[in-house]
Amino acid sequence: AEEILTPLGLTTGTGFVGPTTRAKLDALLAKAPAPTPACTTNADCPAGKTCQNGVCVVPAVLPSVGLTVTLAEDTPVTGTIVAGQATADLARFSFVNGDANPVKVTKIVLKRIGISGDDTLENVYLFEGNVRLTDAASVSQNTITFANVAGLFTVPAQGKVDVNVRADIKSGISGQTVGLQLTAATDITSDASAVNGVFPISANLMTIASAVLANADFTGTTLPGAGNIDPANDVMVWQRTLNVSNRDIYLNRIAFRQIGSINYADLKNFRLYIDGVQVGPAVENLDSNGYVTFVTSPYKLSTGSRVIKVIANVIGGSARTFSFSLRTIADIDLVDSSYNVNIRPTVNTTTFTSITAGIQTVNSGNVTVQKATDSPSGNVIIDGSDIVLAKFTLTAYGEPVKIETLTAGFTHTSGGNVATSTLRNGRLIANGSQVGSTATLSPGGTSFTTNLTVTPGTPVTLEIRADIYDNDGTGQIANGDTIVARLIAGTSNAQGTNSLTIINVPSTSRDGNTLTVASGVINLAKTSTYVDQSLVVPQTAFKLGSFVLSGNPTEDVNINTIQVDFTGTDAWTVSTLSDVYVKYGTYTTPVKPTVTATGNSWSVNYTLAKNAHLTIEVYANISADAYTTTTADTMTTSLLVTGVTAASGQTVNTGTTPLTGQTMTATIGQIVSAVDASTPVAKIVADNTTQD
């Protein structure tokens, strides 16, 4: 009550609120007891959440202000490392940015601790996950310094970066202990302040032991050698043989640096192969430092010779160069299968040095033309308008290529002979837009001025379209003819926009699929589940016939007429039929009170879709006169359906004569008596009893 009344100025002594009033209000405003809080401190919450108002939540803003560094929760625990191993994981530090803007860290200072010498850590690196952030640094008077005025790494706004410190361990030592302390870190902010932290921040000590590790030696020649290369997919950019001995090893990670003049965006879709098998997922692009890093998680390399190869798509870079290099032992994680530590690879049995492929110079641009996988095939509609005859994919490599003209043509075969028709309204469509003017398409080729530029990495889909109509009348196009559209080889019709090299597009003629000229048809059949039968007359609205009308895969058909004929025998004549109607699908025709033997037709308006089916049934009333006792009285219904194809405008029907349907036989009801099988057999019965 006081929580409510006090803000209103009603307190003890005001003349309104006394003990009695407060007690009454407390009773009226009684609340349920507050729920037990889920947490009281951050320690009660799982990782990544903080305690706010008794509930564990993900903080909207990190609790720190500015950039703060601490020892990461998953920093390596105290353990044993091996003399001579590569990139031993010694420490992990968390940099947390509580500001609204990204912050770059420009300097990190580490101190070597433990019972060891400066030369124990031969090379020290900083990593962020699997990405190496720095080149190797050495230890001088117990101190290791990493500095870059442009920034060693960037911590995103309200984000965190975990930095690993790894080092190559000197060979031939044992019994030493070594560890690292973070003594200082500097970031780039508006006031160039130092990173916040309780320094020094000490990681755990590691004990160094001796062991004979597995061997991994790069031998042979690094491929490819220097040379020129056409832009293309699946280009080998680095290859070398790795000999594994002593025991099996595992590959966890390998990174290659691109050191040529090519733009990073001109190389795509990197894939790592070992002994011809792709290992790990493809990497789409180089990173901002020109590296491609493969994470293989891990991949077993058995003893023996293993061929390691990298392929990529070269989509641009005309007149520029590229070369890939395995720069340092820190760029490849090879793990001894027994000791589970990284080993140092060698090159031709000596100390590791950079392994660099030959410099590749990208030739002038070109354009490949391939028939698209979804290029049309099968039937095309006679007299159809703006029909896609063929579809091609144009892909540029090396540089953007401007295609000034393209020539399209076709072959037309009719009855086994090559016809001379031309096609009306030929045109080219590139990525959905017309290029060039509409013109008659001739078999020998029609030239279209396109001025189309194809850019590497952005293929163009090109369609050849025309009406399936003989434009000059010299070679009639009919059902059953075939047409094959063609993009005819170009002659100096394209130019690289950078190199100004003149090229031919396409270099050779490219054909589409064979298309067969056809119009829609309709087919009629008796309903298989409705058979000939006998019926007792008279009948009302009896189903005399049932048929199934089938469409075609080429085009819809607009059904306009249904004709029904009747064939009766003896007493069952058409005069015994009345109120005749036809049901088609869910629709019903008007009723005809009387009918004739032939030519009974109904006008309908129904669109039979491609490949669709329609059930058509004939109903009538039947009088008792359809039956006599001396003859077999039957009635057979026949059906003929007519329509017009929706696209080609051709009149089609289900045949030259109506299709004969089911035969019905008339009869009348009869009573037939017989002794039931259960009647008692002859027997002797006693008198004065009741018997069946």
Side-chain angles (χ1 to χ4, degrees):
E2 294 204 25
E3 293 175 0
I4 297 172
L5 297 175
T6 300
L8 301 177
L10 299 176
T11 59
T12 302
T14 62
F16 292 96
V17 182
T20 302
T21 304
R22 289 198 303 274
K24 180 63 175 178
L25 287 173
D26 282 338
L28 293 174
L29 300 175
K31 304 178 186 177
T36 302
C39 61
T40 54
T41 67
N42 291 342
D44 299 329
C45 297
K49 292 187 177 183
T50 61
C51 186
Q52 297 183 14
N53 299 321
V55 179
C56 293
V57 298
V58 177
V61 178
L62 293 176
S64 61
V65 177
L67 189 62
T68 301
V69 60
T70 60
L71 189 67
E73 293 181 357
D74 58 347
T75 194
V77 298
T78 299
T80 303
I81 56 179
V82 177
Q85 82 166 86
T87 57
D89 200 356
L90 299 180
R92 190 167 303 152
F93 301 99
S94 292
F95 289 79
V96 180
N97 182 11
D99 287 343
N101 298 305
V103 176
K104 291 183 178 181
V105 175
T106 58
K107 185 177 181 180
I108 288 178
V109 180
L110 301 169
K111 180 181 179 181
R112 177 187 57 79
I113 59 177
I115 304 173
S116 56
D118 282 353
D119 60 351
T120 297
L121 305 181
E122 293 185 336
N123 299 295
V124 185
Y125 308 89
L126 297 184
F127 278 78
E128 181 183 351
N130 289 305
V131 177
R132 179 164 60 85
L133 299 174
T134 66
D135 290 332
S138 58
V139 184
S140 177
Q141 296 182 349
N142 297 338
T143 301
I144 309 134
T145 301
F146 296 95
N148 186 338
V149 293
L152 295 168
F153 57 91
T154 300
V155 185
Q158 300 294 316
K160 182 179 77 166
V161 169
D162 285 339
V163 175
N164 289 32
V165 186
R166 302 179 185 177
D168 300 333
I169 308 302
K170 181 181 179 181
S171 299
I173 59 176
S174 65
Q176 295 185 10
T177 59
V178 66
L180 295 172
Q181 285 181 338
L182 179 62
T183 59
T186 305
D187 63 47
I188 298 177
T189 59
S190 57
D191 57 359
S193 62
V195 177
N196 299 318
V198 181
F199 299 101
I201 302 171
S202 298
N204 296 309
L205 285 174
M206 302 293 171
T207 300
I208 302 174
S210 62
V212 178
L213 300 176
N215 295 320
D217 183 53
F218 285 99
T219 63
T221 303
T222 304
L223 298 176
N228 288 11
I229 185 173
D230 288 325
N233 291 336
D234 302 331
V235 174
M236 181 182 69
V237 298
W238 192 93
Q239 178 175 304
R240 188 75 180 253
T241 298
L242 179 68
N243 284 333
V244 179
S245 59
N246 199 17
R247 66 178 64 89
D248 297 342
I249 61 176
Y250 290 95
L251 173 66
N252 287 335
R253 178 189 66 96
I254 188 169
F256 298 89
R257 173 76 185 277
Q258 196 291 114
I259 56 176
S261 62
I262 196 169
N263 294 322
Y264 293 168
D266 290 330
L267 299 171
K268 298 280 187 181
N269 193 23
F270 296 89
R271 284 144 289 161
L272 175 68
Y273 284 80
I274 297 178
D275 295 337
V277 177
Q278 183 174 343
V279 176
V283 179
E284 183 62 21
N285 300 297
L286 294 169
D287 66 20
S288 59
N289 295 316
Y291 277 88
V292 55
T293 300
F294 299 98
V295 180
T296 56
S297 299
Y299 186 80
K300 184 178 181 179
L301 301 178
S302 301
T303 55
S305 297
R306 309 274 75 87
V307 177
I308 299 177
K309 177 173 67 174
V310 179
I311 65 173
N313 295 347
V314 182
I315 65 171
S318 178
R320 292 180 177 270
T321 63
F322 68 84
S323 176
F324 281 81
S325 177
L326 184 62
R327 304 298 289 171
T328 74
I329 58 175
D331 289 332
I332 180 171
D333 287 353
L334 297 173
V335 180
D336 187 292
S337 59
S338 292
Y339 292 98
N340 197 33
V341 297
N342 287 1
I343 64 172
R344 300 191 193 199
T346 56
V347 177
N348 294 324
T349 68
T350 62
T351 303
F352 184 92
T353 56
S354 297
I355 307 173
T356 305
I359 296 175
Q360 306 296 299
T361 301
V362 182
N363 292 331
S364 300
N366 62 67
V367 173
T368 62
V369 178
Q370 295 178 317
K371 180 176 66 177
T373 56
D374 60 344
S375 186
S377 60
N379 293 344
V380 290
I381 302 170
I382 190 170
D383 294 341
S385 298
D386 200 31
I387 302 299
V388 179
L389 304 180
K391 188 182 292 187
F392 302 93
T393 301
L394 280 59
T395 306
Y397 294 95
E399 61 184 317
V401 176
K402 182 179 181 182
I403 305 172
E404 296 180 352
T405 62
L406 286 170
T407 302
F410 69 99
T411 58
H412 171 211
T413 303
S414 178
N417 300 315
V418 177
T420 58
S421 302
T422 57
L423 297 180
R424 182 179 61 189
N425 293 333
R427 64 190 191 124
L428 300 183
I429 304 294
N431 285 349
S433 300
Q434 183 169 343
V435 290
S437 301
T438 301
T440 298
L441 197 64
S442 63
T446 299
S447 179
F448 296 87
T449 301
T450 57
N451 292 321
L452 171 67
T453 299
V454 184
T455 303
T458 309
V460 170
T461 299
L462 183 77
E463 298 176 353
I464 301 176
R465 297 190 179 198
D467 300 341
I468 309 301
Y469 180 85
D470 180 13
N471 197 46
D472 59 14
T474 60
Q476 181 66 37
I477 296 177
N479 282 337
D481 292 1
T482 60
I483 292 174
V484 179
R486 170 176 293 172
L487 202 58
I488 297 174
T491 302
S492 301
N493 61 322
Q495 185 176 37
T497 58
N498 296 334
S499 66
L500 304 182
T501 302
I502 301 298
I503 57 178
N504 303 329
V505 177
S507 56
T508 58
S509 296
R510 302 293 185 187
D511 286 348
N513 295 316
T514 299
L515 306 176
T516 301
V517 178
S519 61
V521 296
I522 51 177
N523 295 294
L524 190 67
K526 292 193 297 184
T527 302
S528 60
T529 56
Y530 194 69
V531 298
D532 298 348
Q533 54 192 279
S534 296
L535 65 148
V536 176
V537 294
Q539 289 282 344
T540 299
F542 185 83
K543 182 163 57 174
L544 292 173
S546 180
F547 304 83
V548 176
L549 181 68
S550 301
N552 65 91
T554 304
E555 58 180 323
D556 297 348
V557 178
N558 296 319
I559 304 302
N560 54 35
T561 305
I562 298 175
Q563 176 185 331
V564 181
D565 291 354
F566 298 100
T567 303
T569 62
D570 297 319
W572 197 346
T573 64
V574 293
S575 63
T576 65
L577 303 177
S578 62
D579 294 342
V580 181
Y581 64 93
V582 177
K583 183 178 180 181
Y584 56 104
T586 59
Y587 300 94
T588 302
T589 67
V591 174
K592 290 183 181 293
T594 60
V595 292
T596 59
T598 60
N600 305 289
S601 64
W602 286 265
S603 294
V604 298
N605 184 14
Y606 182 87
T607 299
L608 183 66
K610 290 187 291 186
N611 295 317
H613 301 282
L614 177 69
T615 298
I616 302 176
E617 299 169 331
V618 180
Y619 291 84
N621 295 344
I622 308 166
S623 71
D625 297 335
Y627 173 77
T628 62
T629 59
T630 58
T631 59
D633 306 304
T634 64
M635 179 63 70
T636 303
T637 305
S638 301
L639 198 70
L640 178 69
V641 181
T642 304
V644 177
T645 55
S648 59
Q650 305 293 307
T651 298
V652 294
N653 52 49
T654 55
T656 56
T657 59
L659 175 71
T660 300
Q662 295 84 3
T663 297
M664 304 296 159
T665 302
T667 184
I668 60 172
Q670 297 179 356
I671 297 176
V672 179
S673 63
V675 177
D676 189 75
S678 63
T679 193
V681 299
K683 61 182 178 179
I684 298 173
V685 296
D687 60 354
N688 207 23
T689 61
T690 300
Q691 297 288 336
D692 185 0

